Amino acid sequence: ATVVSSPDDQALLMRLRNGEQHQAEANDPTRYNISTFAETDLPIALTPQITHPGRSDTPILAMTNAQLMARARQPGGKPYRIELHKRFSYPAACIVLMLVGIPLGLSARRGGKSTGFVLTILLVFVYYFFSSVGVALARQDKVPAFLGVWSANIIFTIAALLLLRQMVRGRLELPVFLTNLRLRKLGATAATGAGVVPPAPAYAQTRTRRWMFNNGRFPLLLDDYVLREFLTSFFLVEVTFVMLALLFSFFELLGDIVRNRAPLIIVGEYLLNLSPMMIYTITPLSVLIAVLITMGLLNRNSELTAIKATGVSLYRVITPILLIAATIGALLFAFDELYLPYANRRQEALRSIIKGKPAQTFLRPDR
């Protein structure tokens, strides 16, 4: 047999020569037909697919945002709507996790050196749990695609705003926070029953609300200091985690490298093209850890107390971190749209060489 293209290039033809065709009938098993031929063509239909190697659901993940929007409007476009929302929700996780990390970092007690690490693991686990459950519910049509994909961000944003509000009013301690809520509720109930409007709390009477930008000046020397501490921690954590991930990937492939005698230049190029995917995956986690470290150090060294003594509010302190986290999220979105698909295709092709797999195409998988 030989394989040739059909005249319209829409299928392949398996051209068979000097053969026999055996055919049984399912409705009548007693009948069995045998026919011989000198030459016949067996068509093989092609299914064009665009792949995005290195990730699951490759045909969808390889599409651009414009293609996803077009397919999402068509019947059966639910998977495309889910993926489109994920393209926006994952970069937004940089801001969401940053907002949660600020009050938790400020509430870290002195001497609790492992608190940041434990909180990071716990928060990441909870975030991805809500995210995975929301996506699964959206795929089963139990909730809309927007609510399912954005559920983790919505829950964490609400929790972050509540924690920040409590942090501005005083030190964030969960038992005291719950006790104050209970006392306020009891006081409001008693006053309402007596027909008296409950008085406002003392801190509400004496506290002066400060806006995000004091005197309209930005940035200040304080912003440079906070940003320097945050960016130093962020890049240190990011580089460390990426290097560890690449190291684990190298040792995972070490047996295939030795067995198939893969050149070191191929291995190095594979790790270089694997790095963008690692950076994309690890960045929100690095933002969270950097915020916990920065806020924890400011609080532990009593620098936050000194800043508040000058009349600067907590909202003003976190403004530069909020802006840089939003910038990182926007860059992460553009990175996924413009460069990551190409790097993934390249690293998958190099991984195939290292694994000793048969030659195949990754740049034009529809041909």
Side-chain angles (χ1 to χ4, degrees):
T2 56
V3 179
V4 297
S5 297
S6 63
D8 56 0
D9 289 332
Q10 297 299 318
L12 295 177
L13 297 179
M14 181 76 73
R15 185 155 293 169
L16 307 172
R17 297 180 179 86
N18 302 325
E20 294 179 349
Q21 182 174 3
H22 299 252
Q23 184 176 11
E25 296 186 9
N27 297 333
D28 188 1
T30 60
R31 302 190 60 178
Y32 186 80
N33 299 324
I34 301 177
S35 60
T36 61
F37 56 85
E39 182 178 297
T40 186
D41 290 338
L42 178 66
I44 302 176
L46 295 179
T47 304
Q49 290 184 346
I50 302 176
T51 59
H52 193 145
R55 299 163 71 177
S56 59
D57 300 330
T58 52
I60 297 179
L61 292 175
M63 294 182 177
T64 64
N65 290 333
Q67 292 173 334
L68 287 174
M69 290 180 184
R71 296 294 294 272
R73 300 189 188 99
Q74 300 176 2
K78 178 182 63 177
Y80 304 98
R81 287 194 298 271
I82 293 176
E83 173 60 23
L84 186 61
H85 285 298
K86 289 171 66 176
R87 296 275 181 97
F88 290 90
S89 66
Y90 192 77
C94 296
I95 303 176
V96 174
L97 294 178
M98 180 275 300
L99 291 175
V100 175
I102 286 175
L104 295 180
L106 292 176
S107 64
R109 297 179 179 274
R110 297 176 182 269
K113 297 182 179 180
S114 62
T115 304
F117 179 77
V118 174
L119 284 176
T120 300
I121 298 299
L122 180 61
L123 286 176
V124 171
F125 173 79
V126 174
Y127 178 85
Y128 284 108
F129 172 78
F130 281 116
S131 179
S132 300
V133 171
V135 172
L137 293 176
R139 288 176 176 172
Q140 298 174 10
D141 284 332
K142 294 185 178 180
V143 296
F146 173 83
L147 183 60
V149 176
W150 288 86
S151 58
N153 286 347
I154 293 174
I155 294 173
F156 269 61
T157 301
I158 295 175
L161 295 178
L162 293 176
L163 292 175
L164 280 173
R165 185 169 179 265
Q166 179 65 19
M167 178 59 69
V168 172
R169 292 181 174 181
R171 183 175 178 84
L172 179 62
E173 295 183 3
L174 188 58
V176 176
F177 176 55
L178 296 177
T179 302
N180 290 340
L181 287 178
R182 184 179 178 185
L183 291 176
R184 290 176 201 165
K185 183 177 180 181
L186 293 176
T189 304
T192 303
V196 180
V197 178
Y203 66 82
Q205 298 174 357
T206 59
R207 182 170 60 94
T208 302
R209 295 185 178 271
R210 299 180 178 92
W211 298 99
M212 183 173 292
F213 297 94
N214 290 17
N215 300 326
R217 294 181 297 166
F218 185 87
L220 302 174
L221 186 61
L222 170 65
D223 302 320
D224 297 335
Y225 177 72
V226 173
L227 277 181
R228 184 169 62 251
E229 294 293 329
F230 171 77
L231 291 177
T232 301
S233 301
F234 170 75
F235 284 114
L236 180 62
V237 173
E238 182 83 3
V239 171
T240 302
F241 278 24
V242 170
M243 293 301 295
L244 286 175
L246 293 177
L247 187 63
F248 290 150
S249 299
F250 172 76
F251 282 109
E252 179 186 1
L253 295 174
L254 188 59
D256 296 308
I257 295 172
V258 176
R259 186 184 309 110
N260 300 315
R261 298 181 181 180
L264 292 180
I265 189 171
I266 296 294
V267 178
E269 190 178 356
Y270 165 73
L271 295 177
L272 184 63
N273 285 275
L274 182 64
S275 301
M277 187 63 192
M278 297 297 182
I279 294 174
Y280 180 83
T281 305
I282 293 173
T283 296
L285 175 63
S286 301
V287 171
L288 173 61
I289 297 179
V291 167
L292 290 173
I293 294 175
T294 303
M295 293 295 106
L297 290 176
L298 288 177
N299 190 38
R300 187 169 301 176
N301 298 332
S302 300
E303 293 173 312
L304 188 63
T305 303
I307 292 173
K308 289 182 178 180
T310 63
V312 179
S313 68
L314 177 62
Y315 295 122
R316 182 61 182 80
V317 175
I318 68 174
T319 298
I321 301 181
L322 176 63
L323 295 179
I324 198 65
T327 303
I328 293 174
L331 293 176
L332 207 62
F333 174 78
F335 186 62
D336 182 32
E337 175 70 13
L338 301 177
Y339 181 72
L340 194 58
Y342 167 78
N344 278 340
R345 286 195 294 267
R346 182 60 183 160
Q347 62 96 356
E348 191 72 10
L350 295 170
R351 182 183 178 88
S352 180
I353 296 175
I354 296 174
K355 286 284 188 179
K357 296 181 179 179
Q360 53 185 312
T361 178
F362 290 93
L363 299 180
R364 287 299 302 271
D366 57 328
R367 293 183 179 273

